[in-house]
Amino acid sequence: MNKEKIIKAGKIASEVKEYAKSIIKKDMPLLEIAEKIEAKIIELGGKPAFPTNLSINEIAAHFTPSYNDETLASGLLKIDLGVHVDGWLSDTAFSLDLENNQENQKLIEASEKALENAIKISKKNISTSEVGKTIQETIESYEFAPIINLSGHSMEEYELHSGITIPNIDDKKQIFLQEGLYAIEPFATFGNGKVHDGKPSGIYMIIDTKNPRSQIAREVLDFVSEEYQTLPFCSRWIIKKLGTKALFGLKQLENNGNLHHFPQLIETSHSKVAQTENTILIEKDNAIVTTE
Ligand code: MN
Ligand code: MN
């Protein structure tokens, strides 16, 4: 663990979050929001750890604008962003109500309060199910549901999801937090509390570097291996570098088993979802929230 770089990645994410809150307005193109957030991360000396997720209403996660996207900000917007400094990560999210809607605001408050309560008890040797129980009870106290098949996660160098899961419910598992880096991310919804796969998101991750046949596929694979390593990236970034011909390369890499293509995640009853997330560094005797 490189604590200095972890703290730096968290501080940049926290500054970018404040910047994002200051610029996002209803009807702003999501493409413009994503590009401004990602440019700000670079300006402050980090790199995006994954494509900025800008998910509206019943889309719980994994919506990032495509290179020619025309979607405008509206509804209940979740902004999920990450920073890395030489592979050391931060991952943070907040939700905005762009409609002046009290129900949206209550839902957002439930996810924020759940995160706050979860962070209060998170320390070395506490069980992940205890953290999940706190999240579940807080969200249910607002008479909303936590999303049971989305969860927080441990992180390692260049590894956004490194194996340990922090559930949003009491899953009764006897897994205990150890010293390390974790993201905690309660999702609250009016709906069933479950997500299913939606359309392809345009967000990818390398799963195998076996040699593809075509020239363009190889060019894309070389670029993403070098630039993003094992972190997620999106078609928008690749097109910016290699032009729209890179879309063929991405498709071939997906078919050849080189890439995992993440689907959008949609609440099963098509109800609105709010998310709040912070990164926490757990040490021997204390815990530091790096992203606030
Ligand atoms: Mn996140
Ligand atoms: Mn996360």
Side-chain angles (χ1 to χ4, degrees):
M1 288 272 155
N2 186 317
K3 185 172 171 182
E4 195 184 320
K5 289 178 179 176
I6 287 170
I7 296 292
K8 185 176 174 191
K11 190 164 186 302
I12 293 170
S14 149
E15 284 181 45
V16 173
K17 205 158 49 163
E18 291 313 307
Y19 165 75
K21 283 176 189 168
S22 76
I23 62 159
I24 296 173
K25 303 277 184 296
K26 185 177 159 67
D27 292 335
M28 195 168 166
L30 294 187
L31 184 57
E32 182 186 345
I33 298 173
E35 293 198 322
K36 284 190 164 153
I37 286 175
E38 290 159 8
K40 193 65 162 182
I41 291 171
I42 292 164
E43 184 191 318
L44 294 174
K47 284 185 175 177
F50 51 83
T52 306
N53 283 215
L54 298 167
S55 308
I56 293 173
N57 292 342
E58 75 275 13
I59 305 178
H62 295 173
F63 184 98
T64 200
S66 57
Y67 75 103
N68 57 359
D69 199 290
E70 293 180 346
T71 314
L72 304 178
S74 70
L76 199 172
L77 177 66
K78 293 157 289 292
I79 298 95
D80 192 339
L81 62 98
V83 176
H84 81 90
V85 173
D86 299 331
W88 296 100
L89 297 157
S90 64
D91 182 3
T92 188
F94 64 99
S95 299
L96 290 177
D97 162 40
L98 299 174
E99 307 297 337
N100 231 333
N101 174 314
Q102 281 196 349
E103 280 201 311
N104 287 350
Q105 289 161 16
K106 267 280 172 233
L107 201 58
I108 293 170
E109 187 186 313
S111 72
E112 289 174 348
K113 200 72 193 166
L115 178 62
E116 191 185 315
N117 290 343
I119 293 224
K120 259 185 221 158
I121 63 158
S122 293
K123 58 179 183 188
K124 192 177 171 183
N125 293 331
I126 192 147
S127 73
T128 55
S129 59
E130 190 66 31
V131 179
K133 183 169 182 248
T134 301
I135 291 171
Q136 178 173 17
E137 285 177 352
T138 307
I139 291 173
E140 286 176 354
S141 76
Y142 285 82
E143 299 185 337
F144 301 134
I147 293 194
I148 64 168
N149 57 341
L150 289 175
S151 52
H153 45 97
S154 59
M155 295 182 277
E156 297 275 352
E157 189 180 14
Y158 283 108
E159 215 180 337
L160 195 54
H161 290 235
S162 66
I164 294 168
T165 287
I166 302 183
N168 287 325
I169 52 159
D170 179 7
D171 66 359
K172 315 279 182 196
K173 284 188 183 155
Q174 293 295 302
I175 296 166
F176 298 90
L177 294 179
Q178 297 304 316
E179 289 169 49
L181 193 63
Y182 300 87
I184 306 180
E185 49 185 310
F187 288 81
T189 179
F190 298 124
N192 291 339
K194 226 178 159 184
V195 291
H196 62 208
D197 291 354
K199 293 181 206 156
S201 66
I203 303 171
Y204 302 85
M205 194 172 77
I206 295 182
I207 48 172
D208 194 319
T209 53
K210 65 185 167 193
N211 217 350
R213 279 185 296 267
S214 83
Q215 171 69 28
I216 182 64
R218 195 167 307 123
E219 203 180 325
V220 173
L221 186 61
D222 286 347
F223 173 67
V224 297
S225 311
E226 166 79 19
E227 187 63 29
Y228 310 116
Q229 303 194 33
T230 44
L231 292 172
F233 59 90
C234 60
S235 53
R236 174 165 52 84
W237 292 352
I238 307 308
I239 289 168
K240 192 168 277 182
K241 178 74 185 177
L242 302 170
T244 48
K245 69 177 194 296
L247 287 172
F248 296 106
L250 281 170
K251 191 76 215 158
Q252 288 166 16
L253 290 171
E254 193 181 338
N255 293 340
N256 194 44
N258 297 96
L259 297 181
H260 173 64
H261 192 170
F262 294 91
Q264 293 174 12
L265 297 172
I266 318 289
E267 210 283 329
T268 52
S269 53
H270 293 266
S271 298
K272 289 181 183 177
V273 178
Q275 174 203 17
T276 311
E277 178 176 22
N278 270 322
T279 297
I280 182 169
L281 176 64
I282 296 186
E283 298 186 298
K284 190 160 173 277
D285 299 310
N286 67 324
I288 304 166
V289 180
T290 66
T291 48
E292 66 176 19

